[in-house]
Amino acid sequence: MDFKKEIAGKISQLVDMEQEKIMELIEIPPQSNMGDYAFPCFQFAKVLRKAPNMIAADLAGKLAQDNVIGKVEAAGGYLNFFVNRAEFMKEILTEVNEKGRDFGASKEGDGKTVLVEFSSPNIAKPFHIGHLVNTLTGSALEKIYRHLGYHTERLNHIGDYGTQFGKQIAAYKHWGNEEALEKDPITELLRVYVMFHEEAEKHPELEDEARQLFKKLEDGDPEMLALWQKFRDLSIVEFKKLYKEFNIEFDSYNGESFYTDKMGEVVQMLRDKNLLVESNGAQIVDLEKFNMPPCLILKSDGATIYATRDLAAGLYRHRTYNFDKCLYVVGNTQALHFKQIFTVLKLMGFDWADNMAHIGTSLVKFADRKMATRSGDMIYAKTVLNEAAEKTLEIVESKNSGLADKADVAKKVGMGAVAYTILKNNRDRDIIFSWEDILSFEGDSGPYVQYTCVRGKSVMRKAGDFPSTADYSKLTTDEEFNLVKLLDGFKAALKEAADRYEPFVITRHVTEIAKAYNKFYNSHPIMNAEPEVKAARLHLTKAVCNVIETGLSIIGIEVPENM
Ligand code: ARG
């Protein structure tokens, strides 16, 4: 049962307004002493020729207490509703405990497809912290949409194409070490790539060699292709290790190279639609009308670029998936690029480009002096994650040295702490990294929320087998009611997170639940309560752990058994 909907239904029988419209108008009062829901009566004043407070008083008199309404009061033009707490507790807790990890699932996405492109690192290059931000943000959005019933596709638009691969191949052929490549591919590829640039200063002919090798690669030379394929495969194996830490998987790794044979069509379409203009030998789409610099399509040597591949990818995705939404989770630094792509697709007559959106992410900044000495972009995700795991292990060892599986716990807590920091604020805000904040076990942090869940689970373990049902009307305190209200609010949080493309809404909501549980835990006994209350509190604990775990898994955080 949806209490808000029920209340809206009751109001609709008394006023000339549809239930749905009433639903939209119903507010959550700022303070709990003003009720759980409030309905503003101002808009009826004109038609009824009556003051809003009179209307509210009149309506309040007509609404009786029942299984939905515990109490209704008129206050300054508002109708304040207090739900029937006993029923509310029963409804929500039964629903959570029946649905388990599916709590909050909805039908809103039935029959709709959402593509989420995220992560999209470049092969043979280190995966930097910015890619980690995109990875976690995109994965959370995808999981949110999936929870809401949408069919989703997780796309990793790998950067695996471009003239730099001519240099990479040349460098590897000159100085590469196969053993080192197998052992730590990205480090080895980066080593020789850097060497290439150093050597090319002294021996400019290396540049020509790289150009020739790239040409050979494009023409499908088997040796070049095999090398490129090897670099690609090994890079993806590395990326997957990192994805695994956060339980992230992809449905497609089709990257830029996948579109090489699909660009001719796009270029031809642009030409047929008279959108291509020559500019200094290059072919561009003029976007001056839209106050944007031109979108470069073909360089003066006829080579395609990043944008050309994105146009081809857009077309391909529309044909392949017929999406309702196509999201690109990429750093804000590429905002103009995506605006250009969407505008060009619109100019080509593809109205579906309106259903594409760039979900921009912010920069990571490092507050600790030690980290701040390096420039943000050069920080590798692996460095940060390894450091997080190490530092967490130290903390775990000092706090709970007898713990089994310490390394595993430290990893879950360390990764969780990093994910939490990345997803705790809205996407506009720069992400500030400081180890002190990240690894704090209190307040707004990953470990704090994880720990709350661990504690709840340990309470349940200690209780052993408890009855499969409970009388939830035994939960009568404000702390318990507020907690259950927050559990119910998880549904609205999911919807808000999806509508705003903001995973932080989930992060914030699970944190609120954790805080409310701790408040309850610190003010009321569980094990020592009388048997019926104890049973109900154990079920409440189970529901809390369930919703926290569901929310955390959406944002890529696992809960260890102990910590
Ligand atoms: N590989 C790019 C980078 O690392 C991001 C790709 C974004 N996606 C796209 N469709 N252009 O910056």
Side-chain angles (χ1 to χ4, degrees):
M1 181 161 75
D2 178 342
F3 280 71
K4 184 172 158 188
K5 200 166 163 187
E6 294 291 322
I7 289 172
K10 291 178 193 296
I11 301 173
S12 74
Q13 289 171 4
L14 304 174
V15 298
D16 185 23
M17 191 183 268
E18 305 258 308
Q19 184 177 7
E20 291 222 336
K21 176 87 184 111
I22 296 174
M23 285 277 278
E24 283 169 27
L25 288 172
I26 289 180
E27 300 169 15
I28 306 284
Q31 276 143 29
S32 57
N33 62 2
M34 296 161 84
D36 306 309
Y37 297 107
F39 179 66
C41 297
F42 308 96
Q43 68 278 9
F44 301 107
K46 233 183 174 164
V47 191
L48 298 176
R49 297 170 172 280
K50 231 168 149 181
N53 56 340
M54 299 289 286
I55 301 171
D58 182 37
L59 291 174
K62 290 180 181 153
L63 287 158
Q65 285 181 5
D66 57 13
N67 63 337
V68 177
I69 302 175
K71 187 168 76 173
V72 56
E73 283 174 359
Y78 277 94
L79 258 180
N80 289 342
F81 291 89
F82 297 79
V83 299
N84 178 328
R85 285 194 178 189
E87 286 297 323
F88 184 79
M89 303 300 259
K90 189 173 104 196
E91 279 290 328
I92 306 303
L93 289 173
T94 306
E95 188 185 344
V96 178
N97 285 335
E98 262 172 25
K99 293 203 173 147
R101 293 295 278 267
D102 283 336
F103 177 68
S106 99
K107 290 198 174 14
E108 88 160 62
D110 267 7
K112 296 199 189 101
T113 297
V114 175
L115 312 187
V116 188
E117 187 213 283
F118 62 103
S119 197
S120 310
N122 304 318
I123 64 164
K125 292 273 162 359
F127 191 106
H128 52 69
I129 191 81
H131 287 124
L132 184 63
V133 173
N134 299 341
T135 304
L136 292 168
T137 306
S139 170
L141 284 177
E142 185 274 328
K143 286 177 174 158
I144 289 165
Y145 276 99
R146 185 147 34 106
H147 208 86
L148 291 172
Y150 291 83
H151 170 74
T152 60
E153 293 282 340
R154 302 160 291 190
L155 312 179
N156 198 338
H157 190 76
I158 297 276
D160 57 1
Y161 192 80
T163 48
Q164 75 272 25
F165 289 103
K167 297 179 190 171
Q168 187 74 66
I169 291 173
Y172 184 73
K173 279 172 73 91
H174 284 294
W175 311 293
N177 175 317
E178 183 148 11
E179 214 178 296
L181 182 73
E182 299 286 341
K183 229 176 112 206
D184 188 355
I186 295 182
T187 305
E188 175 63 1
L189 289 170
L190 192 66
R191 180 184 73 83
V192 297
Y193 192 69
V194 169
M195 233 174 127
F196 179 92
H197 286 274
E198 285 164 7
E199 292 293 316
E201 299 225 329
K202 292 174 262 167
H203 311 284
E205 63 277 12
L206 276 170
E207 298 280 357
D208 288 324
E209 186 193 341
R211 257 189 295 277
Q212 277 161 23
L213 292 182
F214 181 65
K215 178 88 179 53
K216 276 173 97 176
L217 173 66
E218 274 197 302
D219 294 342
D221 176 273
E223 189 202 345
M224 298 306 125
L225 265 181
L227 276 173
W228 170 83
Q229 189 70 48
K230 187 166 186 166
F231 299 164
R232 187 180 194 275
D233 292 350
L234 289 172
S235 299
I236 290 180
V237 168
E238 284 299 298
F239 300 152
K240 281 187 176 167
K241 285 185 197 157
L242 198 142
Y243 299 145
K244 207 165 157 260
E245 303 286 2
F246 300 98
N247 278 318
I248 293 173
E249 282 173 53
F250 288 92
D251 300 300
S252 163
Y253 279 89
N254 287 340
E256 292 187 45
S257 70
F258 179 76
Y259 300 100
T260 41
D261 63 355
K262 298 172 181 62
M263 284 183 285
E265 186 194 1
V266 178
V267 174
Q268 193 55 47
M269 278 178 169
L270 288 166
R271 207 164 264 141
D272 293 345
K273 292 178 201 248
N274 288 322
L275 290 167
L276 276 193
V277 195
E278 203 199 294
S279 163
N280 298 327
Q283 300 287 322
I284 60 156
V285 176
D286 184 63
L287 299 174
E288 215 185 312
K289 284 208 288 260
F290 305 94
N291 282 322
M292 279 183 250
C295 184
L296 184 59
I297 304 293
L298 295 175
K299 291 201 274 194
S300 50
D301 63 1
T304 57
I305 65 149
Y306 186 54
T308 330
R309 292 188 275 283
D310 261 323
L311 291 172
L315 207 64
Y316 173 84
R317 289 176 185 176
H318 180 257
R319 281 180 188 150
T320 310
Y321 304 105
N322 191 22
F323 55 78
D324 293 275
K325 251 188 225 290
C326 174
L327 309 178
Y328 295 80
V329 185
V330 185
N332 277 327
T333 46
Q334 295 193 33
L336 175 63
H337 165 76
F338 287 106
K339 249 170 104 178
Q340 290 177 310
I341 296 300
F342 303 157
T343 309
V344 172
L345 287 171
K346 279 284 277 192
L347 283 172
M348 292 172 84
F350 301 131
D351 283 339
W352 44 259
D354 286 335
N355 303 327
M356 295 179 143
H358 169 222
I359 309 304
T361 55
S362 293
L363 292 178
V364 175
K365 295 201 169 145
F366 293 86
D368 294 337
R369 212 172 294 141
K370 197 180 126 226
M371 293 176 123
T373 52
R374 295 175 274 183
S375 110
D377 266 3
M378 295 308 292
I379 302 267
Y380 303 154
K382 216 165 131 182
T383 316
V384 173
L385 296 176
N386 286 344
E387 204 155 330
E390 269 169 40
K391 285 191 165 20
T392 317
L393 188 57
E394 282 168 28
I395 299 176
V396 170
E397 260 162 359
S398 70
K399 287 203 176 194
N400 193 349
S401 61
L403 197 67
D405 300 333
K406 262 184 283 196
D408 183 56
V409 173
K411 209 161 192 194
K412 283 182 180 152
V413 176
M415 300 306 107
V418 172
Y420 188 99
T421 302
I422 289 177
L423 298 178
K424 80 172 176 190
N425 284 320
N426 62 39
R427 290 180 288 102
D428 290 348
R429 295 251 299 262
D430 283 343
I431 297 159
I432 312 290
F433 259 63
S434 97
W435 287 121
E436 204 183 311
D437 285 354
I438 295 175
L439 300 173
S440 132
F441 276 44
E442 277 132 55
D444 295 352
S445 75
Y448 172 80
V449 182
Q450 283 170 316
Y451 185 68
T452 307
C453 199
V454 167
R455 173 192 260 177
K457 285 183 171 182
S458 123
V459 169
M460 289 190 286
R461 257 198 316 271
K462 276 194 208 116
D465 283 336
F466 52 90
S468 63
T469 54
D471 178 0
Y472 297 123
S473 68
K474 299 288 175 205
L475 303 173
T476 54
T477 70
D478 281 349
E479 287 78 17
E480 289 160 320
F481 177 64
N482 288 336
L483 191 45
V484 175
K485 252 170 101 168
L486 281 168
L487 296 183
D488 180 46
F490 184 65
K491 296 181 245 175
L494 279 165
K495 178 122 184 53
E496 186 189 340
D499 291 348
R500 294 173 60 191
Y501 308 119
E502 283 287 15
F504 92 92
V505 175
I506 300 299
T507 316
R508 189 187 55 196
H509 200 80
V510 291
T511 308
E512 289 306 312
I513 295 175
K515 285 182 183 166
Y517 182 76
N518 288 325
K519 198 164 172 206
F520 152 72
Y521 185 89
N522 292 326
S523 34
H524 303 287
I526 299 179
M527 301 305 261
N528 295 328
E530 58 139 316
E532 283 192 309
V533 176
K534 175 179 163 185
R537 287 185 177 161
L538 285 168
H539 278 274
L540 173 63
T541 299
K542 184 173 160 201
V544 166
C545 290
N546 186 6
V547 178
I548 289 183
E549 263 189 297
T550 305
L552 286 180
S553 84
I554 285 177
I555 54 175
I557 301 178
E558 272 183 275
V559 179
E561 274 310 304
N562 287 298
M563 67 187 266

